[in-house]
Amino acid sequence: ENRSPAEVSLLNENAGAHADKLLGGLLVEGFDQESCRSRYQSAAYRRNTGRQPSQHLVSKLRSHEALQRRCGPGTAAYTNALEQLKSGKSVASPECRYLVSISYRGLGNRIIAAASAFLYAVLTDRVFLVDPSNGMDELFCEPFPNTTWLLPPGFPLVSYQGFYLSTPERYGRMREDGVLRTGEVNGSAAAELPAFAYIHLDHNQTDHDKLFFCDDDQRLMSNIQWLVMRTDGYIAPGLFLVRAFQGKLDALFPERDAVFHHLGRYLFHPTNRVWGLITRYYDAHFARARRVVGIQVRVFPWQADSPELLEQIKTCTQNQKLLPAVLGEEDDEPAAAPGGAAKPTAVLITSLKAWYYDKMKGAYWERATANGEVVVVDQPSHEETQRYHVRSHERKAWAEVYLLSTADTLVTTAESTFGYVAQGLGGMRPWVLRMGMINTTVSWPCSRDMSMEPCYHVPPVYDCKRRQDAGKIVPHVRHCKDWPTGLKLVDPKD
């Protein structure tokens, strides 16, 4: 059969997408495709092919899946571990150890927190279980084959979702009070250890809570069978500062700026209902596009519509050649391509408000572009306010994050976890709008991020042994551009 060069190219592209549906080995065959269509279809919707995981990471994920099946819910080992937890006593050399991740705050926070908590579970060979509240069971498919990552009902620590600073079993508090001690001579013996410890890594964590990132404390924690963790941030950069983990992390992630990129694509697969929102929008708005530019505008409900921010977006996208300028009022209208032959550039705007979309859409409809390019601006939704725990709102938010990640290029808002997730899943270093520095008289209304990794906003400030700036200990952990006290994983070569 004779095929045109264009048809051959399309067939090759489709074959390549199908061949990489396992994302370089991150995913495994064997899941029921109909129960979670996004798992094996996602590669076909990505404009950026993404990075390839190391073979060491692929192997480690397979062994961790085996651990989840051997020790997870429904197994004898899990039942025994629950009985041990109910007894209130520790056990020496437990058969299986567990990390329970509390789900709270906004969707972006929950995703980056779960990804980095999972990384900690992988590094320490703990079964990873997520609190199923706040939509974790409705937004995401199960990532592990033939087992669950959801903490089942009937967990003995009935109030675990409310654990906070006052919880007696908080690790930092037990260290501060001398209940737990590190060190080979005066350290806590296995018989003195609690049945569980609560790891508090929220924004108001104390210096004693931050001992979590110290080697001596990690050795002590390794003997505690159950850990319950609260964090709404991306703790991965802090884990790269723990010396005991550095050799493992070097082997798992030779590209230090792709940690979330790999873990996010491995863990977070939209459920069928969310995948329907994504694919319908993609097919209607992106499928014919020559190029897709995603613009994430994070504004709060109490903030007024800002002409200055709008001008900043326009200046950024035009200065960086992401979008063309439009002709002035006095310029002649150019001739259009006949019959709609020109493939458009699609612009996806995500924001709680519609005002920025209306202005951008009007600008590109009312005047032609200077280079003749056709630009179509769309916004899937504008909820006006962030609605926590409202299922329809959360589904739309997850769909919009995912759609942003399918773009060719991305403009995000500084400090936004929503943008962090999109850039990481899509494998893109975004252009970041410099919030709080809105001044379009300068030539840099946005700047290129140093990596596609999320920023850890409340990391340890100093090294555990000496007061060395945590952003200067290893070359691949640096302070964030958008949050100068935060830490970000980077490629030292960049």
Side-chain angles (χ1 to χ4, degrees), residues 362-383:
Y364 282 105
W365 182 48
E366 292 166 13
R367 303 299 302 169
T369 60
N371 63 359
E373 189 177 339
V374 176
V375 176
V376 180
V377 183
D378 277 297
Q379 179 174 348
S381 72
H382 45 88
E383 301 281 294

Side-chain angles (χ1 to χ4, degrees), residues 24 40 65 79 110 162 235 284 350 358 399 412 482:
Y40 298 133
E65 291 163 358
T79 301
R110 299 203 300 274
I235 68 171
T350 65
D358 287 337
T412 64
D482 63 338

Side-chain angles (χ1 to χ4, degrees), residues 165 170-173 176 200-212:
L165 282 172
R170 178 167 62 87
Y171 182 81
R173 180 175 176 176
E176 185 176 8
H200 183 81
L201 297 176
D202 204 9
H203 65 92
N204 57 358
Q205 60 194 282
T206 68
D207 287 343
H208 284 90
D209 291 317
K210 291 182 181 181
L211 293 173
F212 174 83

Side-chain angles (χ1 to χ4, degrees), residues 73-74 78-87 100 129-133 150-161 226:
Y78 182 76
T79 301
N80 293 338
L82 288 183
E83 291 303 315
Q84 190 67 43
L85 182 58
K86 291 175 187 175
S87 76
V100 176
L129 297 171
V130 297
D131 162 18
S133 65
L150 299 174
L151 184 69
F155 188 53
L157 305 177
V158 292
S159 61
Y160 77 96
Q161 292 168 330
W226 288 88

Side-chain angles (χ1 to χ4, degrees), residues 296-301 303 350-352 386 388 413 416 435:
Q296 181 249 342
V297 187
R298 177 60 163 122
V299 291
F300 294 95
Q303 291 176 309
T350 65
S351 179
L352 289 173
Q386 188 164 344
Y388 293 105
T413 305
S416 171
M435 303 301 289

Side-chain angles (χ1 to χ4, degrees), residues 87-109:
S87 76
K89 299 176 182 177
S90 65
V91 56
S93 303
E95 177 188 1
C96 304
R97 294 172 302 152
Y98 299 84
L99 174 66
V100 176
S101 176
I102 299 172
S103 306
Y104 70 116
R105 296 220 168 99
L107 177 65
N109 297 91

Side-chain angles (χ1 to χ4, degrees), residues 26-45:
L26 278 180
L27 310 182
V28 289
E29 296 273 17
F31 283 94
D32 173 26
Q33 297 192 34
E34 282 305 304
S35 66
C36 181
R37 299 185 189 105
S38 66
R39 191 187 319 273
Y40 298 133
Q41 292 179 10
S42 62
Y45 288 85

